[in-house]
Amino acid sequence: MEFKDYYKILGVERGASADELKRAYRKLARQYHPDVSKAADAEARFKEMKEAYEVLKDPEKRAAYDQYGKDWQSGQDFRPPPGDARGFGNRDSGFGERVDPGEFSEFFEAMFGRARGGGDPRAHAGRGAFRAAGQPIDARIRIPLTDAYHGATRQLSLDIPRLGDDGRMRTERRSLNVKIPRGVTAGQRIRLEGQGAPGIGGGAAGDLFLQVEFEPHPVFRAQGRDIHVRLPIAPWEAALGRTVQAPTLGGWVELKIPTGPAGRKSLRLKGRGLPGKVAGDQFVELEVVVPSASGAARSLYEQLEKDSSIDVRADIKDLVK
Amino acid sequence: MTSPRSIEAVLLDEDLTFTLVEISEMCEVPETVVLEMVHEGVVDPIGPSPAEWRFHGEALTRARRAVRLVRDLELNWAGTALVLDLLDELERRSGAV
């Protein structure tokens, strides 16, 4: 396994004081907390810094880490010390700073043993007294917008922490076919009952919560249940109020361009957004595209220039002296 | 790999409600912590008394997020409520989450 340089992860010197460690951790934690950050690697980074801080804030663990870790460089192949430092104890410290099993790296486990509770859960289980519900698990699922519109089944692979027969936490790869409900929006959570971590000693399994994200679509952009589309139109389509084809998630529709001042206009197609109790709308932003004037088009533009008496800048002329 | 069976996912929206006990179980905190969250305005239940409270699916999402923020960043509940409101506003403005 790779050696982890906890000081480097927190961006502090080896001799950093408890105060400096706390400051560095707090700053990074605010930046990378998965509930706050939009960075793609936020979850992994946060996990890593939480582990680093968990060790370095505890004087005993820090001393053990400094002692065994002084000869290793970050990323180097690490062999756990004989005996190991597990005597330094991982306590379940209550709500304020709970440590989840399976949350920390293999490296951490090799140094300090399992992350939760000093005792062996099997011992409790043997007495028939210890029973615990499995933990809920949070994950993200990225789906195409069309899945949210039509509903779909997506395959998802997840690492689920599980208590092994030897009493140590390890992760297990699990594959699920998830039925995506129709009309789900980005940022919403969906719940899969009993698909989280398995319970201990016959306890019920936890739930799995998936936060939905949309893959970027080249044409459609979702805002809640509403869909936004930019539709290029020609100047004559705008001026003459022609009917053009416009894409929606449900397929192409005919759209009558309103006449009047052209330019950037937004049209609303009621109920053409993502489905729901109240379906979203689709907003079509018209974008007049001016084709290059060459050949026959050029003489038509010139004709237009000669005949037209409209001053397109009339609106702003009075506004700027 | 054999094809796993399909699992129905439930959308945590306004149509789904939970009791105080259910919320506390799914947030992995004692009921007193949920009471505190309600008093500090982190989540709003419907109903007159804790025994009759019903929380929307979205409140569960918000409560779980709040518990993680309080635990990991050592915020207080009032600060967490503010953070969640600001994050919601940010997400609403940016359009895509």
Side-chain angles (χ1 to χ4, degrees):
Chain A
M1 82 194 69
E2 282 191 359
F3 177 76
K4 281 185 183 285
D5 189 337
Y6 289 146
Y7 291 99
K8 203 169 151 190
I9 288 168
L10 293 179
V12 293
E13 298 288 321
R14 282 198 165 247
S17 68
D19 225 45
E20 286 170 323
L21 280 169
K22 186 173 168 178
R23 263 203 320 261
Y25 169 70
R26 284 284 166 78
K27 223 166 164 175
L28 286 169
R30 281 202 304 272
Q31 203 177 340
Y32 287 102
H33 196 281
D35 282 305
V36 176
S37 173
K38 292 277 166 278
D41 62 343
E43 200 147 350
R45 298 266 318 248
F46 181 70
K47 235 169 161 171
E48 206 176 44
M49 64 187 70
K50 204 170 162 183
E51 175 177 321
Y53 187 58
E54 177 72 21
V55 171
L56 298 184
K57 76 172 178 190
D58 181 323
E60 286 181 337
K61 279 197 199 126
R62 185 176 177 181
Y65 174 80
D66 287 346
Q67 167 83 34
Y68 293 116
K70 63 179 186 287
D71 300 327
W72 272 281
Q73 295 291 316
S74 180
Q76 232 181 357
D77 187 41
F78 175 78
R79 279 169 309 282
D84 81 16
R86 286 175 213 184
F88 293 103
N90 281 294
R91 339 175 239 283
D92 206 352
S93 43
F95 174 71
E97 40 182 317
R98 202 199 54 197
V99 175
D100 295 334
E103 188 179 23
F104 288 162
S105 67
E106 204 188 340
F107 170 76
F108 178 94
E109 282 207 2
M111 283 286 292
F112 302 104
R114 245 190 12 260
R116 186 192 246 184
D120 179 349
R122 282 177 311 164
H124 297 284
R127 288 201 300 270
F130 189 80
R131 217 164 196 258
Q135 286 195 302
I137 291 184
D138 289 281
R140 292 172 195 230
I141 186 167
R142 207 172 160 87
I143 60 169
L145 204 47
T146 44
D147 278 10
Y149 184 80
H150 297 288
T153 301
R154 287 259 142 198
Q155 191 158 10
L156 177 74
S157 288
L158 281 173
D159 289 324
I160 308 280
R162 180 184 201 98
L163 190 67
D165 291 337
D166 58 357
R168 297 188 64 149
M169 292 306 298
R170 48 178 57 94
T171 55
E172 185 182 85
R173 196 104 184 123
R174 198 195 285 166
S175 224
L176 298 171
N177 274 337
V178 180
K179 280 190 188 159
I180 310 285
R182 226 174 141 248
V184 68
T185 59
Q188 262 184 333
R189 267 78 169 172
I190 55 180
R191 174 185 174 212
L192 293 102
E193 215 173 333
Q195 296 301 320
I200 295 169
D207 295 338
L208 172 63
F209 294 92
L210 295 176
Q211 181 179 353
V212 174
E213 284 172 3
F214 290 153
E215 287 169 5
H217 193 282
V219 176
F220 302 108
R221 185 172 62 82
Q223 188 165 25
R225 288 213 161 85
D226 295 337
I227 298 293
H228 294 259
V229 172
R230 274 167 63 178
L231 187 68
I233 55 170
W236 48 89
E237 287 170 338
L240 303 172
R242 294 303 189 215
T243 297
V244 300
Q245 296 267 310
T248 70
L249 284 171
W252 289 83
V253 295
E254 305 254 291
L255 194 64
K256 170 110 175 64
I257 310 289
T259 51
R264 294 167 82 86
K265 268 185 290 195
S266 192
L267 305 179
R268 173 166 168 256
L269 306 180
K270 199 166 181 309
R272 296 284 185 160
L274 291 173
K277 212 157 48 179
V278 180
D281 302 329
Q282 176 167 318
F283 293 88
V284 181
E285 198 183 320
L286 299 177
E287 202 175 48
V288 178
V289 177
V290 181
S292 68
S294 56
R298 187 168 179 89
S299 55
L300 287 171
Y301 273 121
E302 281 165 354
Q303 185 67 43
L304 209 52
E305 184 187 34
K306 217 167 10 159
D307 294 352
S308 178
S309 56
I310 295 167
D311 182 359
V312 292
R313 283 171 293 279
D315 278 359
I316 62 166
K317 275 199 173 142
D318 292 338
L319 299 173
V320 183
K321 297 289 168 209
Chain B
M1 179 165 43
T2 55
S3 185
R5 72 193 171 89
S6 284
I7 294 147
E8 204 77 44
V10 181
L11 189 57
L12 297 179
D13 63 4
E14 63 274 19
D15 292 342
L16 195 70
T17 58
F18 300 100
T19 63
L20 173 62
V21 177
E22 286 170 329
I23 286 272
S24 83
E25 275 171 3
M26 280 184 278
C27 290
E28 300 179 281
V29 293
E31 285 166 38
T32 49
V33 172
V34 181
L35 287 171
E36 218 178 319
M37 279 198 267
V38 171
H39 287 310
E40 293 289 346
V42 177
V43 285
D44 291 316
I46 304 156
S49 66
E52 294 156 88
W53 277 352
R54 292 293 176 275
F55 295 84
H56 281 322
E58 279 158 2
L60 170 65
T61 299
R62 201 171 147 91
R64 283 173 53 79
R65 237 175 147 180
V67 167
R68 285 192 295 263
L69 287 168
V70 166
R71 188 180 64 205
D72 297 333
L73 304 183
E74 293 182 39
L75 302 177
N76 63 24
W77 293 113
T80 302
L82 176 67
V83 168
L84 290 174
D85 288 349
L86 290 175
L87 286 172
D88 282 350
E89 176 65 18
L90 214 68
E91 281 167 11
R92 201 182 57 74
R93 282 184 198 215
S94 71
V97 177

